[in-house]
Amino acid sequence: MKICEKCHVQVRGSSVCPLCGSPLEGEPELPIYPKLSRKISGMGMLLRIMLMGTVSAGVICLAMNGMLPETGNWSWCVILGIASFWLCFFLLCRHRKRLPRLFTEQAFVLWLLCLFWDGITGWGGWSLEWMGPILFSAAQLTLFIVCPAKKIPPQEYVVCQCLNALMGIFPALLYLAGEIRFGVPALISASLGGITLLFIFLFDMTVLRRELSRRLHL
Ligand SMILES: [Zn+2]
């Protein structure tokens, strides 16, 4: 710290004495705040590259579509595709530490996106026939494998597993109501959903009841 020879005071962060204005003597002190590092972590850099790449692709497609209007309004599909990707990615990052919730939410959001894409591309019914059963079966199987492997306690996954099972059964109801033509994926998914619900009923029913009453404030 610097010292004023006349006033005998120690002064920090100045080269002249605030009392008499004389130049200060002694060694300047080390800066009190740590130096900010501009280094970006590997993950942050990857995220920036992804953002840069997707936004540039969107802008280039919009510009190309603007120059070639006779090719139709296809650039909006690219923009919506990029938005769908970032929505899933954002949710993936938000719940990356709560795996049961992550898988359930991803299955549900991906299914909603499939419904949306099926709708805007002229409704082929594939979102109900194929994607619903595949996504919810995959979510159930993933929870069955990942939760015991990661030693996740039943109270953290039983509600998610139950929701996945119910969503897995839903396409079969649509098939029985005649809304779906090809029923094999829906029936497989419903069987899996039924087995999951039976498993929960036999082994985790107390936990499920407790979790539901806690979450719904019953
Ligand atoms: Zn002084």
Side-chain angles (χ1 to χ4, degrees):
M1 204 174 282
K2 291 190 159 189
I3 297 163
C4 175
E5 294 287 322
K6 287 185 190 164
C7 316
H8 305 287
V9 289
Q10 292 185 320
V11 182
R12 185 190 278 271
S14 175
S15 54
V16 288
C17 173
L19 303 173
C20 64
S22 338
L24 299 169
E25 304 281 324
E27 287 294 310
E29 75 274 21
L30 292 168
I32 21 176
Y33 299 112
K35 224 177 177 180
L36 276 181
S37 144
R38 279 183 58 81
K39 222 174 126 187
I40 304 163
S41 70
M43 194 62 198
M45 184 53 96
L46 183 72
L47 199 69
R48 277 160 213 241
I49 292 171
M50 274 161 60
L51 195 64
M52 188 71 210
T54 48
V55 171
S56 311
V59 171
I60 291 169
C61 287
L62 266 180
M64 275 170 67
N65 201 186
M67 286 185 274
L68 303 163
E70 66 281 1
T71 53
N73 267 337
W74 54 270
S75 59
W76 282 107
C77 287
V78 179
I79 303 287
L80 287 172
I82 293 170
S84 306
F85 166 76
W86 280 107
L87 175 69
C88 291
F89 189 80
F90 170 71
L91 293 172
L92 197 79
C93 294
R94 221 179 93 200
H95 294 305
R96 68 183 184 283
K97 297 222 168 91
R98 291 149 80 192
L99 293 177
R101 181 151 179 193
L102 171 80
F103 295 129
T104 310
E105 202 176 65
Q106 284 289 315
F108 199 75
V109 170
L110 283 172
W111 184 57
L112 288 182
L113 286 172
C114 288
L115 281 175
F116 171 74
W117 279 97
D118 199 1
I120 61 166
T121 52
W123 193 253
W126 53 268
S127 55
L128 291 176
E129 248 169 47
W130 287 97
M131 293 318 290
I134 289 173
L135 287 169
F136 293 110
S137 301
Q140 288 177 75
L141 288 173
T142 311
L143 285 189
F144 264 129
I145 296 164
V146 169
C147 293
K150 287 259 175 194
K151 295 191 174 62
I152 298 171
Q155 59 267 28
E156 283 184 30
Y157 67 79
V158 72
V159 176
C160 290
Q161 190 65 296
C162 196
L163 285 175
N164 282 319
L166 291 174
M167 288 309 294
I169 292 171
F170 177 65
L173 299 179
L174 291 177
Y175 174 64
L176 293 176
E179 299 287 327
I180 293 177
R181 275 164 288 140
F182 185 63
V184 176
L187 292 175
I188 294 174
S189 157
S191 316
L192 188 64
I195 294 170
T196 304
L197 286 182
L198 181 68
F199 181 87
I200 294 171
F201 180 74
L202 292 176
F203 298 102
D204 291 327
M205 198 57 200
T206 330
V207 184
L208 177 68
R209 211 177 285 144
R210 203 173 49 223
E211 275 305 297
L212 284 178
S213 60
R214 189 176 68 81
R215 289 182 195 203
L216 303 171
H217 304 289
L218 296 174

